[in-house]
């Protein structure tokens, strides 16, 4: 098969996948565990890189089937809403359309055998040509229909300056628990014909897309400055600091561990969690929902950290007839599905167990009431203005007559910055 024909076939197969696969963070094979994706400057930072810079994102994951698989990856440009930009790969890529993952290592001295894969890009094979949102797809046997996982990442070409702050809600009834993000954009000499259509901003809390929101209309315009401070926009529940557990060692109990059993597999029983929806805020150090695979008894947690069956229980004062409880964090992409849903026992507790790699994990519980069918992230956790949260502000620009949307500004704001 000649290279031109192969390129055409890949282009159409990727477009076919784009019509059916969501442009979201997903895992399509249950054997794939512990997916990490971050800017290599800091683990586990937001997966954003500057266009045409030396910055890279790193993807890492474990395959519990062991052995070696033929994994390939490709990327596709998306608009701010995470729909395909419907561009040809030649419009958003500088070189090749796909690459093979060749960096892998076998686990060492673990009950659970696995193969650890890593890849860093942009590289000499995969390099974006334009800024914006991108979806990464990993698939098996050079066949895009055999999806293994998808990840969102961002390529930034800074053309505007962004600044802002996190303040209390202007609504007196919400001041004790809501956090409001006010920010300004200065677009300088950028060709902006209509700020209400050419520029829009996306704000999310702790890198969580499911709770983010777009703002398309500034409160007012002052020269080249766009001021976003409207009373009714960019307001988020403060929530609470994340719960956590620590399994860096499977020899000793940490503060949240009740029992550790080691036989032909590792089992860790955590202390029962209680509702934290209390009148007053209590500080608890957390990692804003992130997780870190670590093993203090080994030398390289990427391959000598073992897996364990983690047993959770929640005494919540709610019955399963009223709704459903879920456990979420970055470790499961905050998915509310059958894998994160808790069961209910005759003692009035919700419970579940998850198969997770050793490390330090943040998590929280979510309630979905049968009547509203909507997730309530504060029902079990509480809701406080004092909670430390980080907010990502992304600025998208649609140039006149362009086919795609660029990412031209980015800033991280903290609720504790003064």
């Amino acid at each position: 098969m000649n290279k031109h024909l192969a390129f055409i076939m890949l282009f159409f197969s990727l477009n076919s996948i784009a019509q059916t696969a969501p442009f979201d963070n997903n895992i399509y094979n249950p054997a794939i565990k512990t997916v990490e994706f971050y800017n290599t400057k800091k683990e586990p930072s937001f997966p954003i890189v500057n266009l045409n810079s030396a910055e890279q994102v790193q993807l890492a994951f474990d395959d519990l089937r062991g052995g070696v698989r033929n994994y390939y990856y490709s990327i596709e440009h998306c608009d701010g809403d995470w729909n395909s930009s419907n561009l040809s790969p030649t419009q958003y890529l500088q070189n090749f359309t796909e690459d093979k993952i060749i960096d892998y290592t076998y686990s060492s001295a673990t009950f659970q055998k696995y193969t650890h894969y890593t890849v860093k890009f942009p590289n000499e094979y995969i390099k974006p040509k334009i800024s914006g949102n991108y979806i990464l797809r990993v698939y098996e046997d050079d066949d895009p229909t055999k999806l293994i996982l998808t990840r969102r990442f961002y390529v930034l070409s800074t053309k505007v300056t962004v600044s802002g702050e996190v303040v209390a809600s202007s609504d007196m009834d919400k001041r004790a628990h809501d956090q409001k993000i006010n920010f300004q954009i200065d677009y300088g000499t950028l060709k902006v014909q209509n700020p209400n259509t050419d520029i829009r901003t996306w704000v999310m809390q702790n890198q969580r897309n499911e709770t983010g929101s777009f703002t398309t209309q500034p409160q007012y315009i002052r020269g080249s400055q766009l001021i976003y401070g409207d009373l009714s926009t960019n307001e988020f529940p403060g929530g609470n600091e994340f719960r956590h557990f620590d399994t860096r060692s499977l020899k000793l109990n940490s503060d949240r561990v009740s029992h550790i059993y080691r036989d032909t597999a590792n089992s860790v029983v955590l202390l029962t969690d209680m509702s934290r929806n209390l009148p007053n805020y209590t500080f608890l150090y957390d990692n804003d929902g992130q997780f870190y695979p670590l093993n203090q008894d080994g030398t390289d947690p990427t391959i000598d950290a073992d897996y364990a069956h983690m047993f959770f229980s929640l005494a919540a004062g709610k019955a399963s007839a009223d709704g459903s409880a879920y456990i979420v964090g970055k470790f499961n992409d905050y998915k509310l599905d059958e894998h994160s849903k808790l069961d209910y026992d005759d003692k009035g507790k919700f419970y579940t167990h998850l198969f997770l790699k050793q490390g330090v994990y943040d998590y929280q519980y979510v309630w979905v009431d049968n009547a509203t069918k909507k997730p309530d992230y504060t029902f079990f956790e509480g809701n406080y203005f004092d909670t430390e949260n980080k907010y990502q502000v992304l600025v998208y620009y649609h140039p006149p007559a362009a086919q795609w949307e660029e990412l031209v500004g980015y800033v991280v704001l903290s609720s504790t910055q003064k």
Side-chain angles (χ1 to χ4, degrees):
M1 182 184 296
N2 64 54
K3 292 183 178 180
H4 180 66
L5 180 58
F7 174 86
I8 294 175
M9 291 181 67
L10 176 64
F11 173 63
F12 280 105
S13 62
L14 290 176
N15 279 348
S16 177
I17 291 295
Q19 301 304 314
T20 58
F23 291 76
D24 199 358
N25 295 329
N26 279 293
I27 298 174
Y28 298 92
N29 189 312
I32 304 302
K33 295 285 188 180
T34 318
V35 179
E36 301 175 86
F37 194 44
Y38 52 85
N39 186 302
T40 56
K41 286 183 176 180
K42 183 179 180 181
E43 179 183 352
S45 57
F46 191 55
I48 186 170
V49 294
N50 282 288
L51 183 67
N52 296 324
S53 72
E55 294 181 11
Q56 291 182 301
V57 288
Q58 174 169 305
L59 172 72
F61 62 92
D62 294 339
D63 188 337
L64 302 193
R65 295 173 294 181
V68 180
R69 308 277 169 169
N70 293 315
Y71 287 133
Y72 291 77
Y73 68 99
S74 61
I75 64 175
E76 181 178 359
H77 192 274
C78 304
D79 63 19
D81 297 301
W82 291 103
N83 300 309
S84 173
S85 297
N86 294 316
L87 301 177
S88 158
T90 58
Q91 292 177 280
Y92 60 84
L93 289 175
Q94 294 190 31
N95 33 31
F96 299 96
T97 56
E98 68 170 5
D99 185 27
K100 187 176 182 179
I101 300 177
I102 59 174
D103 188 354
Y104 62 86
T105 315
Y106 298 117
S107 59
S108 173
T110 57
F111 283 144
Q112 174 62 57
K113 302 303 180 185
Y114 58 88
T115 306
H116 182 76
Y117 294 85
T118 59
V119 64
K120 298 178 183 179
F121 65 93
N123 53 44
E124 59 182 314
Y125 301 105
I126 299 291
K127 191 172 185 179
K129 185 185 295 185
I130 59 177
S131 69
N133 290 358
Y134 282 83
I135 191 75
L136 164 71
R137 296 190 181 95
V138 178
Y139 41 90
E140 197 170 352
D141 297 331
D142 201 13
D143 183 353
T145 65
K146 294 183 178 180
L147 271 177
I148 296 298
L149 63 89
T150 51
R151 295 286 116 172
R152 292 174 169 180
F153 72 101
Y154 307 80
V155 176
L156 173 67
S157 177
T158 302
K159 298 180 180 179
V160 303
T161 57
V162 192
S163 60
E165 61 180 346
V166 181
V167 299
S169 172
S170 302
D171 187 334
M172 292 301 297
D173 294 332
K174 298 180 179 180
R175 289 183 68 85
H177 48 79
D178 275 16
Q179 297 175 345
K180 189 178 186 314
I181 294 80
N182 294 331
F183 60 95
Q184 304 82 40
I185 298 172
D186 192 329
Y187 60 82
T189 59
L190 195 65
K191 294 181 180 179
V192 177
Q193 298 176 348
N194 184 348
N196 295 328
T197 58
D198 295 351
I199 289 182
R200 57 178 180 158
T201 60
W202 176 257
V203 181
M204 56 185 166
Q205 184 188 78
N206 299 324
Q207 306 180 26
R208 299 177 63 173
N209 272 285
E210 75 277 6
T211 59
S213 62
F214 264 118
T215 303
T216 57
Q217 192 168 20
Q219 183 184 16
Y220 59 90
I221 302 172
R222 185 171 56 209
S224 62
Q225 291 186 323
L226 309 178
I227 313 300
Y228 296 82
D230 188 87
L231 299 179
S232 61
T233 60
N234 297 317
E235 193 163 306
F236 294 77
N240 204 347
E241 314 297 350
F242 283 81
R243 304 171 192 259
H244 79 279
F245 66 85
D246 183 345
T247 54
R248 285 176 292 179
S249 175
L250 293 175
K251 297 178 180 179
L252 300 172
N253 292 1
S254 63
D255 61 335
R256 292 295 306 147
V257 173
S258 175
H259 299 287
I260 299 176
Y261 303 96
R262 303 191 73 190
D263 190 2
T264 57
N266 301 305
S267 297
V268 178
V269 180
L270 297 178
L271 296 171
T272 297
D273 285 313
M274 311 300 290
S275 173
R276 298 192 300 161
N277 198 345
L278 304 173
N280 297 315
Y281 167 80
T282 300
F283 174 77
L284 176 68
Y285 178 81
D286 72 350
N287 293 303
D288 293 328
Q290 300 290 340
F291 71 97
Y292 296 83
L294 296 168
N295 178 17
Q296 68 182 31
D297 301 320
T299 58
D300 184 358
T302 61
I303 57 172
D304 63 23
D306 211 339
Y307 278 79
H309 296 276
M310 302 294 305
F311 290 83
F312 301 83
S313 59
L314 171 65
K318 270 285 188 180
S320 60
D322 300 326
S324 301
Y326 297 82
I327 182 170
V328 298
K330 182 63 177 176
F331 68 91
N332 66 359
D333 297 318
Y334 300 96
K335 299 291 187 187
L336 301 178
D337 56 22
E338 68 275 11
H339 303 295
S340 61
K341 186 177 180 180
L342 278 67
D343 295 313
Y344 190 75
D345 65 18
D346 56 6
K347 298 179 181 179
K349 292 183 180 179
F350 289 97
Y351 67 94
T352 192
H353 83 275
L354 303 172
F355 198 48
L356 300 174
K357 199 172 187 177
Q358 279 183 265
V360 177
Y361 287 73
D362 277 7
Y363 68 99
Q364 64 179 196
Y365 293 105
V366 182
W367 176 252
V368 178
D369 193 89
N370 284 340
T372 64
K373 306 296 183 183
K374 295 180 179 180
D376 187 338
Y377 295 96
T378 64
F379 181 84
F380 295 127
E381 305 299 346
N383 190 21
Y384 311 97
F385 169 76
D386 307 85
T387 302
E388 189 278 326
N389 291 303
K390 290 183 175 62
Y391 291 89
Q392 292 75 34
V393 181
L394 298 104
V395 182
Y396 294 92
Y397 167 63
H398 196 289
Q403 291 180 265
W404 61 85
E405 204 167 25
E406 299 179 7
L407 178 58
V408 296
Y410 171 67
V411 72
V412 179
L413 304 175
S414 174
S415 62
T416 58
Q417 288 177 339
K418 303 297 182 184

